[in-house]
Amino acid sequence: MKIFENIVGQSEVVSILERAIQESRKSEVENQEMTHSWLFTGPSGSGKSTTANAFAAALVCPNNGCANCVDCETAINGSHLDIEILKTEGLSIKIDEVRDLLSRSATSPSVSNWRIILIHDIQRLTESAANALLKAIEEPSERTIWILTATSSMEVLPTIRSRCRNIKLKILTKESIVKLLNEKHQVKFEIAEYSARVSLGDLSRAISISQNPGAIVRRNQIIDLIFSIKDSATAFKVASRLNELVDEEVQLVRESLDHKELSQLKSSFQGSGRSLITGKTKEIKVLEKNQKFRLTRLKHELLDRLLLDIFSLFRDIMIIQIGYQNNLVNIEKLQLLMDFAKFNSYIEINEFIEQITNARVSLKESSSFLLILENLMNEIIKLVPKQ
């Protein structure tokens, strides 16, 4: 099925979905291969959203996912009449959004065999929204199929998880990412190899790094800042600078998207002949509120990515300590990594990696971003090799 040709490194998943598509053409939905509710899980960049979208397209395509017909094209670009999509740019998916979706899910399909309800990142559902979704999944309409995505099944309400077929996508290999960047995106091998290596299996980030020289510069800045820590004074300075680097990235998005969206909204008012009072119109207030949520979520994601870059350093140090240097992420910093490996015990490095993991969890529960960074940078002081 051509619709799955762009799914990288997930051949087992594709086989499962192809069998399900074949079974979906039969009269009964519920059988060993096909069910009415699916949960796609996998780490960031594994392709779960792309795979879920392709599966939805194949279900509504009369040719089992040919990738060339109107149904496939409209399904992929999000305009198909029988596919309802919910994806938030904010920190959570609220009950009003789910209720609005549920009201549309009960109708019969218009032009295909199925009505598909596709919800991305359901780990962001509020408790009330999750309970509303559960009721719909428990009592699905006859021709409705639910497709959900999440980073991990453990972040999904158990009662929802138990009613779905879980399709777990694996972390992509460096080799598969390099091949895709090199062949499909025409990225030079050296840049493709670097991007695949430092992305830690995240395809979307690898693509972003390979096409954005500024991303490589920022990552190198982060690594150099970590290795510049010597004492409390430099630790606090580094934490502050890391926070500034993230804010600078957020500001770039704000400048490129927020102004454009506001201008488009104002133009739509003028085109309709309606009066516009800047800052007073309800639609503008809603837009500004949504933009604020988006920027907060973006900062969460960028900080988490920064912590993953720091994690990659200390993961490399542990690998050196066990005598295996053929799979290092930050090979350009080999001598510094070796200095840390000699000065610290395996247990000390492992404990710091646990602190990085705890910091990533704290990001989801707190907005004290700078404090989280300061605490983590001060812990690095204990690990700095003494002259």
Side-chain angles (χ1 to χ4, degrees):
M1 299 178 184
K2 290 186 178 180
I3 199 72
F4 295 122
E5 287 183 354
N6 290 328
I7 307 300
V8 180
Q10 308 291 349
S11 57
E12 292 181 9
V13 168
V14 169
S15 295
I16 291 171
L17 300 182
E18 287 178 337
R19 291 195 298 269
I21 296 301
Q22 296 296 337
E23 291 296 324
S24 74
R25 306 307 175 191
K26 300 178 181 179
S27 58
E28 295 294 331
V29 179
E30 293 290 347
N31 56 50
Q32 188 175 356
E33 302 294 343
M34 185 64 194
T35 183
H36 76 274
S37 54
W38 298 75
L39 174 61
F40 289 80
T41 61
S44 177
S46 60
K48 59 183 176 295
S49 294
T50 301
T51 305
N53 290 339
F55 184 43
L59 285 168
V60 298
C61 172
N63 302 309
N64 298 335
C66 65
N68 296 316
C69 67
V70 172
D71 287 287
C72 283
E73 291 177 3
T74 54
I76 293 301
N77 68 30
S79 62
H80 195 281
L81 292 174
D82 290 328
I83 300 178
E84 300 286 347
I85 302 174
L86 177 56
K87 182 177 182 179
T88 184
E89 291 183 328
L91 294 175
S92 63
I93 302 175
K94 297 178 174 57
I95 189 169
D96 288 344
E97 297 174 277
V98 173
R99 283 174 175 165
D100 181 55
L101 186 66
L102 295 179
S103 67
R104 301 195 300 273
S105 69
T107 58
S108 300
S110 303
V111 295
S112 58
N113 290 331
W114 305 106
R115 178 164 291 279
I116 312 297
I117 312 299
L118 180 55
I119 307 180
H120 291 290
D121 298 324
I122 67 165
Q123 73 274 7
R124 298 185 183 278
L125 289 166
T126 62
E127 183 178 355
S128 57
N131 288 329
L133 175 62
L134 172 62
K135 182 175 175 58
I137 292 178
E138 286 178 327
E139 303 172 3
S141 302
E142 184 179 357
R143 305 301 295 177
T144 298
I145 294 177
W146 294 84
I147 302 176
L148 317 172
T149 74
T151 52
S152 168
S153 61
M154 299 309 295
E155 294 183 313
V156 179
L157 195 69
T159 45
I160 291 179
R161 185 173 69 230
S162 65
R163 287 164 174 78
C164 298
R165 183 172 184 185
N166 189 356
I167 303 298
K168 187 175 181 179
L169 280 74
K170 59 186 179 182
I171 296 176
L172 300 179
T173 64
K174 184 182 78 171
E175 291 73 21
S176 64
I177 295 177
V178 170
K179 182 178 180 182
L180 181 137
L181 292 177
N182 190 240
E183 296 180 358
K184 182 177 179 180
H185 297 276
Q186 287 77 53
V187 177
K188 292 181 179 179
F189 179 81
E190 294 78 10
I191 297 177
E193 191 279 333
Y194 173 85
S195 302
R197 174 160 43 89
V198 303
S199 67
L200 300 176
D202 186 332
L203 177 59
S204 58
R205 191 186 183 199
I207 293 173
S208 176
I209 291 173
S210 69
Q211 297 177 347
N212 181 7
I216 298 176
V217 171
R218 281 191 293 274
R219 188 180 189 280
N220 288 333
Q221 282 182 293
I222 291 168
I223 302 305
D224 289 340
L225 283 167
I226 296 303
F227 283 126
S228 74
I229 294 175
K230 304 299 179 186
D231 50 33
S232 293
T234 53
F236 281 109
K237 287 180 181 179
V238 166
S240 177
R241 181 55 185 149
L242 291 175
N243 192 55
E244 288 174 358
L245 286 173
V246 171
D247 283 338
E248 288 170 8
E249 282 196 76
V250 171
Q251 185 60 27
L252 287 174
V253 174
R254 185 174 188 174
E255 291 173 354
S256 64
L257 288 181
D258 286 14
H259 178 72
K260 180 180 179 181
E261 290 172 342
L262 186 59
S263 297
Q264 289 175 340
L265 183 59
K266 289 181 178 180
S267 296
S268 69
F269 272 89
Q270 293 166 353
S272 65
R274 296 166 62 187
S275 61
L276 174 64
I277 303 175
T278 304
K280 297 297 183 181
T281 306
K282 180 180 178 181
E283 285 83 353
I284 288 182
K285 289 183 177 180
V286 170
L287 175 61
E288 291 173 342
K289 182 179 179 181
N290 289 337
Q291 288 175 337
K292 183 178 180 180
F293 285 145
R294 179 175 64 200
L295 292 177
T296 301
R297 176 176 171 178
L298 177 62
K299 182 159 186 178
H300 274 86
E301 292 174 348
L302 291 175
L303 280 167
D304 187 65
R305 186 182 299 168
L306 182 152
L307 292 177
L308 281 174
D309 286 333
I310 298 173
F311 162 82
S312 74
L313 289 173
F314 290 88
R315 169 257 189 205
D316 283 351
I317 293 169
M318 288 185 70
I319 289 178
I320 291 172
Q321 287 176 329
I322 62 177
Y324 185 72
Q325 299 182 23
N326 296 328
N327 194 29
L328 298 181
V329 172
N330 303 281
I331 189 67
E332 296 84 359
K333 302 293 183 181
L334 179 59
Q335 186 56 57
L336 287 168
L337 295 170
M338 291 181 67
D339 291 342
F340 269 78
K342 292 176 182 177
F343 183 77
N344 298 279
S345 69
Y346 182 90
I347 293 176
E348 288 171 323
I349 298 300
N350 187 54
E351 287 177 347
F352 182 69
I353 286 178
E354 289 182 5
Q355 291 175 318
I356 296 174
T357 301
N358 292 336
R360 294 182 67 196
V361 173
S362 297
L363 279 178
K364 299 178 181 180
E365 304 169 349
S366 171
S367 58
S368 302
F369 305 135
L370 181 56
L371 179 61
I372 292 171
L373 289 174
E374 287 175 344
N375 290 338
L376 195 62
M377 296 307 103
N378 272 289
E379 291 298 324
I380 292 179
I381 298 171
K382 305 172 187 176
L383 307 175
V384 175
K386 301 298 185 291
Q387 301 296 327

